[in-house]
Structures are given as structure tokens and as C-alpha cells.
Amino acid sequence: MGYLSRQLSGRTDVAEDAGWTDPPPRKGFFTDTSICIGCKACEVACKEWNAIPLDGLGMTGNSYDNTGDLGASTWRHVAFVEQGAERVAQARESGQRLVDLGMPGVGAPEPAPVGTTAHGVPLPSFRWLMSSDVCKHCTHAGCLDVCPTGALFRSEFGTVVVQADVCNGCGYCVGACPFGVIERRSQDEVTSTRRDGHVPNVGVAQKCTLCYDRLGEDQTPACAQTCPTTSIRFGDHADMVAEAQERVSALHAQGITEARLYGANENDGVGGTGSVFLLLDEPEVYGLPPDPVVPTAHLPEMFRMAGTAALGLLGVAAASFLGGRR
Amino acid sequence: MSTSPFDSYRPPEGEGRRRRRGGERGGDRSAAGGAGSGGRRERAGDWLTGRARGRGEQPVVPEPEFASYYGQPVVKPVPWGHEIPAYLFLGGLAAGSGMLAAGAHATGLAVLRRNARLTSMTAVALSGAALVADLGRPERFLNMMRTVKLTSPMSVGTWIFSGFSGFASVATAAEVDRMLGGRDGGRGLPVVGSLLRWVEPVGSLGAFFFGPPLAAYTAVLLSDTATPVWFESRRGLPFVFVSSAAMASGGMQLVLTPAAETVPAQRLAVLGAVGDYVAMERVERHLHGLGIDDVLHEGAAGQKLRAAKALTVGGGVLSLLARRSRLAAVACGLALAAGSALTRFAVVEAGQESARDPRHTVATQQARLEERRARGVVDDSITTAG
Amino acid sequence: MANADCIIIQGSNMAECHPVGFQWVAEAKARGARIIHVDPRFTRTSAIADTHVPIRAGTDVVLLGALIHHVLSTQTYFHDYVRAYTNATTLISEDYQDTEDLDGIFSGYDEETGGYDRASWAYDLDEHGAPRRDESMTHPRSVLQILARHYARYTPEMVEQTCGIPVAQFHEIARALVESSGRERTTCFAYAVGWTQHSLGAQFIRTAAILQLLMGNVGRPGSGIMALRGHASIQGSTDIPTLFNLLPGYLPMPMAGQHRTLAEYLAGIASPQQKGYWADADAYTVSLLKSWWGEAATAENDFAYDYLPRLTGAHGTYQTVMSMLEDEVDGYFVLGQNPAVGSAHGRMQRLAMAHLKWMVVRDFQLIETATFWRDAPEIATGELVTEDIGTEVFFLPAATHVEKRGTFTQTQRLLQWRHQAVAPPGQAQSELDFFHDLGVRIRQRLAGSTDPRDRPLLDLTWDYPLDEHGEVDAEAVLREINGEHLTGEQAGQPLDGFAQMRADGSTTGGCWIYSGVFAGGVNRAANRAPHGGDEVASQWGWAWPMNRRMLYNRASADPEGRPWSERKRYLWWDEETGRWTGPDVPDFPVDRAPGARPEGEGGPAALAGVDPFVMQPDGKGWLFAPKGMVDGPLPTHYEAQESPVVNPLYPQQRNPGRRTFPRKDNLFAPSGEDPGSGVYPFVFTTYRLTEHHTAGGMSRWLPYLSELQPAMFCEVSPELAQQRGLSNGGWATLVSPRAAIEARVLVTERMTPLRVGGRTVHQIGLPYHWGVGGDAVVEGDAANDLLGVVLDPNVQIQESKVGSCDIRAGRRPRGEELLRLVAEYQSLAGATVETDNERLDPGVGSPTEEEDV
Ligand SMILES: Nc1nc2c(c(=O)[nH]1)N[C@H]1C(S)=C(S)[C@@H](COP(=O)(O)OP(=O)(O)OC[C@H]3O[C@@H](n4cnc5c(=O)[nH]c(N)nc54)[C@H](O)[C@@H]3O)O[C@H]1N2
Ligand SMILES: Nc1nc2c(c(=O)[nH]1)N[C@H]1C(S)=C(S)[C@@H](COP(=O)(O)OP(=O)(O)OC[C@H]3O[C@@H](n4cnc5c(=O)[nH]c(N)nc54)[C@H](O)[C@@H]3O)O[C@H]1N2
Ligand code: SF4
Ligand code: SF4
Ligand code: SF4
Ligand code: SF4
Ligand code: SF4
Ligand SMILES: [Mo]
């Protein structure tokens, strides 16, 4: 694989590709949703640290989730999913299927007798999943690739950060993110939390910076720092992936076959994510895409087709002038 | 019924219109949420309208067979207003007109040349204005000129656009010079007048060669996103857009230019219309196979696309009379230009709608994942067992 | 908790209300512990637990009683532990009669007062005054046998019929408990206000205590009953209390007429002959009096004992509020509280405040209590008119916890020093400064007064040094609390601990249990060794008493002083050194050998080597409580004040000792099968959410928290929603005999309809964080408006976890219409002042057909 093609898809070293010489190890998150208590401390810590405006006071009726999704003014978002027995059984099956498919990973664990928990007691007929979502800091980040101004850049920590003062608010990154993370802040969707009523960064794209300012000071990101259960773990990306793999095998060994990893595979459509998750059901249940692909992976193909079309137009236009004027 | 591998993601006929009741015991609440009213993202006030997700009264959207998070979008629609489809249309019009002007210049069709140049210049100026107006921070529009970024169609496009505008400006300036009588011993443009006479061919040629990329890149601009309908249309959309540009610019000259000089314009318009129709049909068929063409047929986008098609076909038919009747020519030209504009609006709006519908994202992705797994490719999924 | 093999969280929503402490539950789970959550609702705690057990609110005594019955009848209790360390072997007086004998009341009940004469519950004493015992525990009057008889009818079937917990699920809990108790394993209980806020609250906790003693789960690693405390330092404010009936260190407040002299007072606390540390209450009391009145407290004047106020009865917050309504109270200081929203019967609270002459509110925000005169819901209904309210309200800004220094005492009795991060803004002041200043000003006013009633104020020691910011030095206060020597070589030096306190006036000490926190002149609350320094984190903060991390830890060893098991090793007798050793500070005389059997003495010296419960007069854990509880020596199930269910166990429906307030403004819904009981057919329970804090003063004013939970809501099951036509996200109106409120609806399977006695009982969940006002970021109707006032007799806590209501779709009426709706319901139900308020039910207590007594 050449340097150029590595830029668009596949395994790669993100910071070096971005031209950093001798960068520190790539940083990332491992979010273990199996121990999240849905306290939303991460959401609040993020908003406090980054002085994000109020994102609306509506009640959604969707369980305990009233912030809805990630966006310009919600950079951490905790999802709440209530499930009955049927869906729990399905989740176990789909998890088992991943194992059966022979995916990379730990190999088939001894499955617990279907319908029981680790303590040998019957599966709960109901469960409440909570999961704290965040920007994935993709290896191949759609947002970063398409940004025409260079406002989005790859930091030395391998993370993806917006420079609010460079962004001109073209909004292109918003459509290019396969995870629906980044968003342009709009004045009428937010309310200032400041005394002077000012809302910062209106009209520009906003998302998690992986606390770039804190990483620079060798500090843990605010959300991970505050999480009381260690559901959010932060560290070197490689360690995070390793921890995630360990944890999923431990859960499998306990018979919790519904556990699975999300984003820990370098061969996936975005080259693996900087934020790795342990999920207990299919990704779409949490509002995550099941097979995200960085759109720019197909850019050569797109330009090829566009080139063909353009040549066609050239030909047609030329032809229109040939063959007589009358 | 087609027999695409994605059929399973479409609701069963008839019965599928039954809606799941909210809070059904033993049921899956997230899926119930997924059965939402069009999966529209309404953070607050949604319950107020009584259209609470999954529990609404309007049995319009059939119940999809997929899990989602309360019917919330998985990807976000680009935050673009009407300025962007307008930009796409005007850009196409500018590109095609620039090419017509160049052809007219080369073949000595003076009126066509003049009109096409002025059309092109006006369109390019308006489209630039539309683009800037849609920025979140218009005062920073020049930040795009700070870099050249090959992975960003918008960056590439900006340079194409700039190049085209440059050449078109030269050509237009030359035209103005001519109109002021610079060629005929009149006063012409001061200072640059004589220079313009020299570089006019460069302007023409430049516009001619920058036109096609200008018309085509916008398709890449759309496709290079996570918006399902655009992304999945990546192979066909450039053909739609160049055809649309041809049809709009040809049509426009049928309106503006006397019949005596409109043969090339008429040809361009007809070929464009045919191309547009065929290419769009192909795109639709492909999306239909994926089960995500609904957004092109329903709602505002559907209306626009239907109108666009009628105008395209109508305009195409009228074009046969265009050189006989001035009235027909004007009607045909306007129909084609409007058809082109409406196509752009339809495609943009359908895409945004497609981004808002989680089924579009989830079902297409699940299908392609399953398809790969069926082929034995199991190492490239984002979800892993370990 | 991390050391537990099984954790039963019952009566608390720990993950939501104690998220930081919950990390230890998570840790235990990661180590393989089984987590069980017993709660009417499926909460974020249930989500992490292995098992969630939905229970009908107010019925925990039946579940726990059935577990007691189970372990006794299957002989699965920890026999050796029970025999050696509890009062199971002790015989009870012949006069004692159980609820089994008297249809649901104990001997000694006085229907006039609603109280008990506890004489018949006493130990059966021998001629030397020592309790009679039967080591075989088979004597019919032995505590173990009384216990077995008392709980004989608390069967799994009774659990199903009362709590709505299926028999199979009961057995699942029983198995988990039994398998995780004994020598090798321990089970821990955790509760909070889901257990306390009942008219029987204290007895809920007693039942768990009995069970844990039977299972040997007290004083051992991973055992015990974790009382999860509420507000930051609410533990501190019971240790050094804001309660009307206590003095610092759990010394009782003297009663008028009963405790005329210091001697009388001390005799009421403990006899000098009894075992354990309460025998030294004289030293603690005199040191306290010396701290407060210094030189003015002398042996001659009983150490100024007469300066202490005397109680004439219960002066809890609810009694005070009712006194306000009678215009008996002029002024009200509201500090760190928002009663207009947070206290039961919100309407009564607000109406009462309108009777005051003045009110001081010290808070961060203009809470609803401070603005009631302007925007209380009663203004909208016309019950209050702003212009007619004579209350003068003073709002004084308070400094927050980061703007002042001092200690927080948390659940584990750990004092942690808090440094000042920033200075308070503007005129904001800490409580310490405010009260110091207030004291100075009052004393200035009174200076020179010869009125004897001003002496207590004028003689107070009120001279604290100021720190570098000109604020009262909080460390000086902690030092005063710690106490010091007044005489001898060490005069002026801090005490090392309460053992150095003397009853002769030679020591001071503001709170005996805190003595030692400043030992050696070092502020030990500020200890902060990384990870606490050792296994028990002894270098992190300071735990009272004497930095002991686990109380009664002598019980972690067997009677011979050997650990019960290697796995649960904690404290043991070291023959060689002749001392108790282990990672923690022994909660026992350190050199008292396991075989020691001192005779004829009192106090700590009298503790035998096998008396781990060093605060009890007999050194044993009390399965049967001969004193201490006012409403019964053994927990007994009674239904809540309002309940849709007839007490399946006794003809006596409700706790006969509960405190009722039969008043027109405090009506209750007919219970059980009483006429009109169908008018308010549903049970509601109130609780907290992670996203908000109590009455909202610290969360509804914060945008980031408000957006997480913007609106008052109710949680209902899909079945109830269907029955009442409620839709998710829509509005509902809830009506109780006190008020009607509106809330958004969350339809969720987390609420389970229960099958109880052949019918379905629906429970409705109501967070109580919202209130009506104009100043907060978000507001809403208050759950507390639905509640009436009825109290637990032991601690005067309100029953806010169970009530009856109706629910209907749509928003509530406005203005006067609202009052009409409430009144309509009341008359439909035929609710009167008598409803639910009779003390004894017909037939109960009258000695009709008593069989074998
Ligand atoms: N986020 C947050 N944390 C807090 C507070 C807060 O307001 N917000 N408040 C603090 C304070 S002051 C306190 S006192 C604590 C209180 O802490 P908790 O007691 O844990 O809190 P609650 O939510 O009041 O009640 C706990 C649970 O009791 C259940 N319950 C009700 N009735 C019964 C019953 O009869 N039996 C059983 N088994 N369960 C019952 C309720 O459903 C509820 O889930 O929390 C403290 N922590
Ligand atoms: N229905 C129902 N009612 C309940 C309960 C329930 O479970 N259900 N729980 C009960 C329980 S356990 C509790 S603890 C109460 C709580 O009820 P309240 O104590 O009435 O309510 P809070 O909102 O905690 O009020 C504390 C106030 O103190 C202010 N404050 C914080 N720090 C300071 C300070 O340092 N100085 C001063 N001066 N003010 C400060 C805060 O801003 C806040 O307004 O509610 C009780 N009421
Ligand atoms: S998740 Fe989206 S916003 Fe985040 S780095 Fe990837 S593409 Fe960019
Ligand atoms: S909105 Fe800003 S960050 Fe996003 S692509 Fe445009 S310039 Fe870049
Ligand atoms: S890393 Fe920082 S910016 Fe990103 S979610 Fe966490 S707190 Fe927010
Ligand atoms: S802080 Fe941790 S436990 Fe709380 S919601 Fe966030 S991830 Fe979950
Ligand atoms: S709010 Fe404070 S006291 Fe409560 S859990 Fe969090 S850190 Fe602890
Ligand atoms: Mo509390």
C-alpha cells in the first residue's frame, strides 16, 4: 500500500500520516457500556470543561435520554435502551453468531447455558442498557478528509480536532461523518449559559476534541476523569484495544455472549476507531451504524466516474457544434 | 416486486402497515422507537404534537424491520439550505453556458457567444454568492483558498470553480469590451482592452475545459458523504449532473438567443435532457434495489423530481419545435432549465431526508455486511467478537 | 463493600443516588459478587444488579422477616456466631406478649398515647441483676425461640401475597443470602431512604439487622448494613446534630421534668454498672458542657447543665410547621433546606410560612421557599394573596462548599477535610461565619444583662481565632470538637481520644465520638495518603471513633479469637503479644483476652472477651431489642398509613405507634377494603434521579443538569398506561387526598404491576425534584404536594415512600378549579379526619380470645 492510498483507507499510523514526526502514542477511549450506570456525569463534565451552551430543555419521552444524540452542543451522549426478554435473547444470539463467524479475536468461549446469567440464574426478562457515546476519532475520518479549510486536523495524539477559528461553517464535515457526530452549531438551537448571553462558535462545526487542551497538559479528558464506574477508560489506543479485548473475553467466559467490541478492528470501513466500545447488542440499537465506511475510501472511484461524465460532456458539447450550423 | 437481496429490509405488503404500539410488554422498545414517524429528529416538543415516536397516528411510514435508537438518525444531514441546490444548478448552468460560449466563439456564432458568456458569468457569480451565503461563517469564505486538499471534493471544487470563474471573467470582459465597441474602434474597456483581445481565446478555451469538471464535481461533492442516497448514487450521479448542466445551459440559450444561432444549444439541450432522464432512471433503479429510493418519490423531494421529469420530457419534446416557433423555444428552454433546477433540489433534499431516516443507513449497511459475510469475508466488520 | 460476596441493595437506588460509592459495588461485582436489588422500580441500580426484585412499597419487613424465618427453620443461620455474639440465648421477661398473641400489638401498649410501656420487653434478670440465659437456645422464652415464633407466619407464600414477589424469586434471594454467608463468605445490605421514609421505617432497618446478625454478617469484611447517607455530611449533621432530640455524639437532649439534674440525666443514658462505652456518658457530657461554657461550667453548678434547653415533646420539622399554622412560631431560619418543595405536604409548608413574622433563607439561589410569597401554587389557586402575606423574608447568600473550609462526614463515618478553593463572592458567607457573627451581635445586645435567662448565651465560649481571610478558623472549631486537657501537665493539649475524657471537668470535648481527630495537634481529617496508605485506607481522612474503619470488628474473629476463616480474616487475638491485631484499629479493649470474663465492674472494663458489641449494655448484638425502639422489640409488618391492601398478617392494619396528625388539611385515602378505597386506587412512591438533587436548589438552577431531566414526570407500567389512557410523553394528572399535580408520562416496563393477594397493584413512580416557582431553569409540580404527614415514632421521619393516588390523562385544572377537583375526590372517597387515623383496629388489643399466653 502506498502512502497515498493509505491516506484514504486501511491500516495506518494516523499521526505520522498527518506529518507529525515522532508523535506520542495514539490516544483513545475504551468505553465499557456493561458497567455504565447512566449517571451522565460524563456529559456534564464535558459541557463544563468545554463551556458548551445549553442544548435545549425538551423532554423526549425516550427513557431517561433527554439530550437525544451527539451534536454541536452535546459531545458526550448517554443512550438509554430498555429491552424485553425477546430482544435480550436476540442480542445473545447475534453475539454468539459473531463468535461463530470466526471473527478475529478470542475464539469461541464456552457458552453459558442459554437463558442463564453468570451466576446460573435465569436471564433477566428485562434490561436497561446505557452507553456513553462520543466522537470516534476515526483512523480514517470522513470529517477530516473532506474539510476544505483545514479547520479539522489530526493532532499529534492521533485525534481529530476542529479549529473553531479556521472553520468557515461550510457544514461539509457534518455529512461526511459516518457516525453522525460532528455538527454545525446553530444559534437558534442553543441557549447561552453565560451571564452576557454570548454563545461561542456559532456557525462552525463542533465536536469532541478528545480534550486536546487537557492532553497537552498530560491530563485525562474530563469525561473519563469524572466517570465514577470506569466505564470510560482513557489511555494509549493500543492499550485500550487490548483492555477491550480482555474485557470481552472475560464476559464471554462468564457466558455473556451478547458482549462485543465496536471499533477495535483496523480492517473495518474506517480503519478502526480511536474510541473503542464494548456493546451488549447490535450497534444500531445504540444508534451506531453497523457497517460505517469513510466515504473518501471511495473517492478515487467517484472522481473516475466524474471524470468519465465530464469527458462525456466535453464530447457532447463539441459534437453539438460539429455537423453543421443549421 | 424486484428480487433484490435487500427485500428483506422492506416491510411486508399490507400487513406491514400495522404500527407497533408503544410500550408493548415484551416488545423491544428501541425497535418500537425505530418504527418512528419517518424517523425525524425532533428533540423537544415531539410528544406535544401527539406524534410521539412509534406511537403516532399517521400510518404513513411502513414499519421497518430493523432496530434503531428511537428512530433517531444515525448520520446527520448536511446542514445545507436551498442555496446549495441553487448553487449546483447555477454552477451547472454556468459550466454549460461557458462551453456553449466557447463553441460559439470558435464557430463564430456571435449572439450565442455573447448571450452564453453573459449567462455563464451571471450564473457563476450567483452561484458563488449562494455558496458563500450558506456558510455558517460567510466572512471566512476565503479560508477555503488557504489550502488545496485532494481528499476534499469541496476544496477541489473550489479550485475548479475559481479556475472556471477566472476564465469566464476573462471571456466576459472581452465580451464587454466588444460590446463597448472596443473591437470596432469604439472606446472599449480602458487599459485592459487591448490585452483582452489577446487573451480572449484563452478565456474561451479555459471555460470550455473547466466547464465539465465544474459540472461534474458537484456529484462527487454529494457522494463523498455518509448520506445514504448520495453515497450509494456515486457511480450514476455525475452523469445526471453533467446532463443536467447541458440541458439547463442549452435550454437557457434557446430562451435567450434567436433561432438562427441556436442549433448547438438545441442539440446540447436535447442530449442533456435524454442523458438526464436516462441517468436519473439508472440511479433510481440502483437505489430501488437497495430499498432506499423512497425519498426520491415521497414528500417534497418526490414532488420536485416528478415535476422535473415532466419538465425534462416536455422540454425535450418541445425542443423539436424550438427552431420553428419562438414561443416553443422559450417554453422548451424554460422547461429544461427548470427541470434541471428541480432535479438538483430533489436530489439534495432526498439526500437530506435519507440521512434523517435511520433505516436508510442501517439497512443498507446491514445488507452489505451480510453480503460480505455470505462471501466469507468476516474480518472487516466494525463489530467483532473480541 | 468491595469484599462482599453478595450485596443486597434494598431501600436504596444506590447507583443513581450514590454513584461514587457505587464503585465499590461494581468492584465487588467484578470480583464475582452477586448483586440483588429489591425495589418497587427497575432503576439504574437494577440495571447493573444480577437480579432485580420488584416489591410493593412498604412491605420489606415481610420479605426480610420471611428470610429470618427461612434461615431459622432451615437451620442455615450462623449458629456459632449467633450463640456467642447475639442475645439469642437471653431469656425475656415472663410478662412479654408478642404480636402473635395480641393480634398485632405487643404487651405494654397504651392506646391513649399510642406508645408502649417497655417494661414487659425487658430481659429476665437473675437475683444478681444479670440476664438469664439458655445456651441451648431452646427455652421458649429465649430470644431465638421468640424470634422463631414471631416470624413463623412470614412464609414465602406470605411474601408473595404481601410483597408481590413470586415464591420462586424469594427462594432465589434466600439461596443467594445463605450461600454467601457463614465462615467463608459474607453478605452486605445497603439501604437509604427507601427504608427510612415509612411510618415503620426504623423497624425495616431493624429487620435487616436481625437477619445480618443471624447470618454472622456484622463486624466482618464485606458484611454489615450500609446506611447510605444523603446530603453531603448529613452523617456529620447527625453526629453533631441538627436534630431536636440529640446533643453531639448521640447524647440525648434532656426532657423537661424528667431530667432535672445532671445525675438524673446521666441515669437516663446508662447505668454505671452496664457494660461498654455508654457507661462513661458522664465524661462525654461534662466535657461537652465544659467546651460550651468553659469557666462558667463548674462542678458546683452541675457544669452548667441547667443552661441546656429541655424538651417538652417532639419538636420535629412537621410539628413546628403545624405550630406555625397556629401562629405559635414567629421566625424561621431556613438554611440548606427548601421545605416548600422538599418537605412532605408542600401545601401545608407554604401556607405555614405565610403565618410567620419573619423568615431568613440562606441559600445559593432564590429557591421556592424564598419566593413562596410571590409564586407559590397557592397564589394561583387564590389560597394565598401576595399582598396579604405578612412574612418578612430575608434572603442571605450562602457560601458553597468550595468557598469554605471544614469537614464532610460521609456514610463510612469518615471525616474528610475540605480546603477552600475560592473566596465566597459578594456578600456570601459561610454558615460558620454567619452564626459566629450572629452570636457576637446577640451577645453585644445582651451585654450587661442581669436576666438569668441570658446567662447561657453570655457565658458561651465564643472566641475563635480568625484565619488569614478574616473568617473564623474552621480548624479551631474542629480542635474544640476534639477536646483538650484543661489541667495537669498536658493542659492546653488536644485529647488523644474519648478515653481521656473525664467527668470531673478537667477535659473539654465538643463531640466525644470525634475525639482523636486532632490527636497530637494534627488535623487527621486532612490525611490524604495515596490510596489511603494500606488495606483499610487508614491514612485517608479519619473515621470516628478512633479512626476505626469497621465497627464491632471483634466479631470478625471466633470466640477464641481466631479468624472465622482465612478468607474473611480481619482482626484476631495474638497470643504472643496479648493483643488484638489486624489491619484495623480494634473496636475492643485491645488487651482483653478472648477468655476474659470480668465480674462486678461496669463500663468497658466489664466487657467479656466474647462481647464484641461494645456499645450494648450486655455486649451482644440484639436480635430482640428490650429497649431503644418505641414501637416494638421485634419488627412486625404493618401496612402503610395509606394502602390498597388489607394487612394479611394481623388484624392491626397500621403501625399502632406511628405519629398521626388528624387534621382537615391532612386527609388520607381509605385503605384496604374500606369504603371509598377505590377512589385512589394506585400506590405512588417518590424518589430521586441522578440528574437532580433533592428539592432542586442545587440542580434545577444549573442548565447542564436541567437539560438532562427537564420536566417533572411520572413512571407508569404499560398496563397502567393502557388502563388509564396515558401516552408516553403526554401529560397526566395525579390526585391524592391532599392535592393534584401534573406530570409528563414515561410509560416503561421498568414499572411492574404486582400480583398481591389475588389482585393487581399498580405502583407509580414520582421523582420529587421539581417545584413551582419562577426563578429556576426548569420548574414543575412538586411530588411532595401529594403527600400527607404521618411519621415514624422512633425518628419522626415522614412517610414519603408510600401514598395512594389516582392518575388520569391530561393536564390538571388551573386556579380554583384545582381545589375543586381535589375536593371532589375527597368527598367521593368519603375521606374524613378519622380516615386511617385510628390507633387500633377494631378488636385489636382487647383481651378477648387469648389462647396460650
Ligand atoms: N443524584 C442524587 N443523589 C442523591 C440525592 C439526590 O437528590 N440526587 N439525594 C441524597 C439524599 S439527601 C439522600 S437521603 C439519598 C437517598 O438515597 P436513596 O434512598 O437511594 O434514594 P431514593 O431515590 O429516595 O429512594 C431509593 C429507592 O427506594 C425505593 N423504594 C421506595 N419505597 C420502597 C420500599 O418500600 N421498599 C424498598 N425496598 N424500596 C423502596 C424507590 O423506588 C427508590 O428507588 O440520596 C442522596 N444522593
Ligand atoms: N417526597 C419525598 N420528599 C423527600 C424525600 C423523598 O425521598 N421523597 N427525601 C427527603 C430527604 S432524605 C431529604 S435530605 C430532603 C431534602 O430536602 P431539602 O433539604 O429541603 O432540599 P435541598 O434541595 O437539598 O435543599 C438544600 C438547599 O441548601 C442549599 N445549600 C447547599 N449548600 C449550602 C450551604 O453550604 N449553606 C447553605 N446555607 N445552603 C446550602 C442548596 O442550594 C439547597 O437549596 O427531602 C426530603 N423530602
Ligand atoms: S466520528 Fe465522525 S466526527 Fe469523529 S472523527 Fe470520525 S468522522 Fe470525524
Ligand atoms: S464546517 Fe468547518 S470543519 Fe467542517 S468541513 Fe467546513 S470548514 Fe471544515
Ligand atoms: S474527551 Fe473531552 S471533549 Fe471529548 S467528550 Fe470527553 S470531555 Fe468532551
Ligand atoms: S460517567 Fe461513566 S457511568 Fe456515568 S454515564 Fe458516563 S460512562 Fe456511564
Ligand atoms: S454528587 Fe458528590 S456526594 Fe454525590 S456521588 Fe457525586 S461526588 Fe459523591
Ligand atoms: Mo436525605
Side-chain angles (χ1 to χ4, degrees), chain C residues 675-694:
Chain C
S677 59
V679 175
Y680 306 97
F682 308 116
V683 178
F684 71 88
T685 187
T686 63
Y687 47 84
R688 296 154 171 74
L689 301 168
T690 309
E691 294 87 341
H692 280 289
H693 190 260
T694 50

Side-chain angles (χ1 to χ4, degrees), chain C residues 193 197 229-231 234 688 694 768:
Chain C
V193 300
Q197 289 169 359
R229 303 305 314 264
H231 278 85
I234 199 79
R688 296 154 171 74
T694 50
Y768 84 99

Side-chain angles (χ1 to χ4, degrees), chain A residues 29 46 50 75-76 134 208-211 221-223:
Chain A
F29 285 123
C46 176
N50 296 296
W75 299 354
R76 265 270 172 201
V134 69
C208 160
T209 67
L210 217 143
C211 281
C223 54

Side-chain angles (χ1 to χ4, degrees), chain C residues 505-526:
Chain C
S506 64
T507 56
T508 64
C511 178
W512 69 278
I513 54 178
Y514 279 22
S515 188
V517 67
F518 233 101
V522 177
N523 179 356
R524 290 168 195 271

Side-chain angles (χ1 to χ4, degrees), chain B:
Chain B
M1 281 298 277
S2 78
T3 51
S4 101
F6 310 116
D7 280 354
S8 60
Y9 294 98
R10 266 196 256 114
E13 294 276 298
E15 218 203 330
R17 305 218 159 231
R18 175 184 53 85
R19 316 204 67 224
R20 201 175 291 185
R21 290 285 309 160
E24 213 175 318
R25 194 151 273 267
D28 168 31
R29 301 257 300 138
S30 66
S37 44
R40 200 148 287 123
R41 172 165 176 259
E42 279 165 272
R43 177 168 292 181
D46 183 24
W47 52 270
L48 262 180
T49 61
R51 290 195 292 123
R53 296 177 185 85
R55 286 157 280 274
E57 281 78 44
Q58 311 142 298
V60 194
V61 183
E63 176 183 338
E65 292 289 311
F66 74 105
S68 85
Y69 187 68
Y70 302 105
Q72 305 250 48
V74 174
V75 295
K76 289 196 163 50
V78 282
W80 292 340
H82 293 320
E83 293 88 347
I84 294 300
Y87 161 78
L88 299 184
F89 164 70
L90 291 167
L93 179 61
S97 304
M99 294 173 78
L100 270 180
H105 188 206
T107 52
L109 298 170
V111 184
L112 181 63
R113 185 199 64 225
R114 186 196 67 207
N115 288 352
R117 275 182 176 167
L118 293 180
T119 308
S120 175
M121 198 60 223
T122 313
V124 90
L126 287 174
S127 83
L131 186 62
V132 172
D134 200 56
L135 295 176
R137 299 298 281 266
E139 75 277 13
R140 294 192 192 150
F141 77 96
L142 278 177
N143 281 6
M144 299 228 219
M145 316 304 286
R146 294 179 5 149
T147 71
V148 182
K149 203 161 148 189
L150 294 179
T151 62
S152 170
M154 192 177 281
S155 175
V156 172
T158 304
W159 289 110
I160 293 174
F161 179 84
S162 309
F164 181 87
S165 326
F167 289 117
S169 305
V170 170
T172 309
E175 196 61 48
V176 171
D177 177 58
R178 222 188 237 129
M179 285 156 76
L180 294 176
R183 299 285 164 96
D184 314 322
R187 287 180 47 232
L189 282 173
V191 190
V192 290
S194 51
L195 180 67
L196 279 172
R197 265 150 256 164
W198 280 99
V199 295
E200 182 179 14
V202 180
S204 259
L205 214 58
F208 188 71
F209 282 104
F210 267 78
L214 179 62
Y217 100 86
T218 48
V220 181
L221 182 77
L222 297 191
S223 291
D224 192 17
T225 61
T227 299
V229 154
W230 296 344
F231 180 68
E232 299 298 346
S233 309
R234 59 189 178 271
R235 300 182 63 86
L237 211 50
F239 297 97
V240 178
F241 278 19
V242 294
S243 308
S244 189
M247 140 178 146
S249 47
M252 195 51 89
Q253 291 320 313
L254 287 180
V255 176
L256 298 177
T257 308
E261 294 197 5
T262 55
V263 173
Q266 185 200 27
R267 287 180 186 150
L268 192 64
V270 173
L271 289 171
V274 172
D276 178 274
Y277 192 86
V278 172
M280 198 60 214
E281 278 292 318
R282 270 184 49 205
V283 165
E284 280 175 64
R285 215 170 317 129
H286 177 66
L287 295 177
H288 181 73
L290 297 170
I292 56 172
D293 59 329
D294 51 342
V295 290
L296 284 169
H297 303 133
E298 287 164 12
Q303 273 178 5
K304 286 186 183 125
L305 191 62
R306 274 193 301 279
K309 282 194 174 168
L311 289 167
T312 305
V313 173
V317 172
L318 271 180
S319 70
L320 301 175
L321 309 174
R323 306 205 45 256
R324 258 170 267 158
S325 146
R326 182 76 191 123
L327 195 66
V330 170
C332 155
L334 287 176
L336 291 180
S340 165
L342 283 170
T343 305
R344 310 304 182 109
F345 275 84
V347 168
V348 169
E349 286 171 17
Q352 287 170 316
E353 195 54 36
S354 142
R356 281 184 208 109
D357 184 347
R359 187 181 61 82
H360 278 216
T361 305
V362 173
T364 50
Q365 295 193 8
Q366 263 176 352
R368 70 186 179 219
L369 187 61
E370 284 309 320
E371 187 268 331
R372 289 204 305 278
R373 283 178 183 169
R375 279 194 283 122
V377 182
V378 292
D379 69 339
D380 63 354
S381 132
I382 191 164
T383 318
T384 50

Side-chain angles (χ1 to χ4, degrees), chain A residues 33 35-40 80 130 228-229 231, chain C residues 14-16 18-20 22 44 48 690:
Chain A
T33 69
I35 54 172
C36 173
I37 56 173
C39 67
K40 307 182 191 169
F80 289 78
M130 289 137 208
T229 61
S231 174
Chain C
M14 188 173 179
E16 299 198 37
H18 313 270
V20 174
F22 196 73
R44 281 174 265 205
I48 292 290
T690 309

